[in-house]
Amino acid sequence: LGWYWAISDYLDAQVATQIGTLGSFRITGRTNYNRRYAYSGNLALSYGRLRVGERSDPDFLVRQPFSLGWSHNQTFANQSRLTSSVNLRTESQRLVATEISDQVSQTTTSRLGYSRSWPSVGRSLSVQASVNQNFSNDITTASLPTVRFDQRRIFPFKRGRDDAWYEKISLSYSVNADNDFSFRYATVDSLRGVFPDSAVNVIEGLLSPSAFQRA
């Protein structure tokens, strides 16, 4: 079942559901936006309940597949830019994916970045956050954030007069800062209250640093 709404010339929305006969379901919402010469992107959210096996089976599980996707591109008048390519999801999301490429994918990467430049003085700044999920070993690695600042070569004492020795003194510098960490996550069995492996999914690990187990 699905529903689509063309809200305006710049924005639309759609909701789709999948329902299984044994109690499984999936709800997906997506919106696209686009304003020429300003910004463009889309936002997608998916949540579901996946029942694996029968209740009498020893390996019976109920999983909660979840995914969050956000793609955005925006340029500002002050020589700055905001971009995002977010694709966060739980491991069980692969089991309900409709695309084969998503079903077999072992990794996914999300990035959010902001950059600004000052051409007149030769300076630039970039800030980026990234998350890499590896489903083969259940390890998520995050860089929150990565900061880089550059200053091209300048002559602070140059006055445009005679070439005195001190006018030839130049200066340039670059500053980098990184905050990296990793953790293991697992899908929670909501019926039995069992937390397999390290018991932290990707959303909990990113939002609650005290809860995750370092890989």
Side-chain angles (χ1 to χ4, degrees):
L1 302 174
W3 175 71
Y4 175 80
W5 181 23
I7 302 174
S8 69
D9 292 340
Y10 313 104
L11 179 67
D12 70 358
Q14 57 182 329
V15 177
T17 63
Q18 295 173 298
I19 302 175
T21 56
L22 297 180
S24 298
F25 69 88
R26 183 190 183 197
I27 301 176
T28 303
R30 180 185 178 93
T31 179
N32 301 282
Y33 53 90
N34 191 338
R35 195 172 187 89
R36 186 177 297 180
Y37 310 123
Y39 53 81
S40 63
N42 60 76
L43 177 66
L45 183 66
S46 176
Y47 176 78
R49 180 179 185 270
L50 179 63
R51 174 173 164 166
V52 182
E54 300 292 338
R55 291 184 180 275
S56 57
D57 295 339
D59 56 349
F60 172 73
L61 282 176
V62 174
R63 297 183 174 182
Q64 296 176 326
F66 172 84
S67 67
L68 171 64
W70 181 38
S71 177
H72 183 81
N73 189 1
Q74 184 172 4
T75 302
F76 302 92
N78 60 353
Q79 299 291 327
S80 61
R81 184 181 182 187
L82 176 66
T83 59
S84 74
S85 177
V86 175
N87 185 21
L88 294 175
R89 54 183 172 140
T90 58
E91 195 276 339
S92 58
Q93 177 66 21
R94 295 193 303 156
L95 303 178
V96 298
T98 56
E99 297 292 336
I100 295 180
S101 59
D102 293 332
Q103 296 173 7
V104 301
S105 175
Q106 294 295 313
T107 61
T108 180
T109 301
S110 301
R111 291 188 178 89
L112 176 64
Y114 173 80
S115 61
R116 183 175 180 180
S117 62
W118 294 265
S120 60
V121 293
R123 295 173 187 166
S124 63
L125 170 69
S126 66
V127 182
Q128 179 173 283
S130 63
V131 177
N132 180 269
Q133 297 176 256
N134 190 321
F135 300 110
S136 62
N137 57 17
D138 289 342
I139 293 180
T140 295
T141 303
S143 298
L144 303 171
T146 298
V147 182
R148 180 181 177 90
F149 180 81
D150 291 297
Q151 171 64 65
R152 73 184 181 191
R153 190 168 68 160
I154 58 175
F155 297 85
F157 305 111
K158 192 172 184 62
R159 296 294 181 267
R161 302 171 184 172
D162 296 332
D163 290 334
W165 65 269
Y166 58 83
E167 292 190 71
K168 298 180 181 180
I169 297 176
S170 64
L171 171 67
S172 65
Y173 55 90
S174 177
V175 179
N176 295 276
D178 297 282
N179 177 39
D180 301 326
F181 62 92
S182 60
F183 59 89
R184 294 182 182 274
Y185 71 97
T187 303
V188 178
D189 180 357
S190 59
L191 283 187
R192 295 182 296 181
V194 177
F195 294 81
D197 300 330
S198 60
V200 180
N201 64 41
V202 61
I203 306 301
E204 293 172 335
L206 292 176
L207 299 182
S208 303
S210 61
F212 63 75
Q213 175 183 357
R214 290 188 178 275

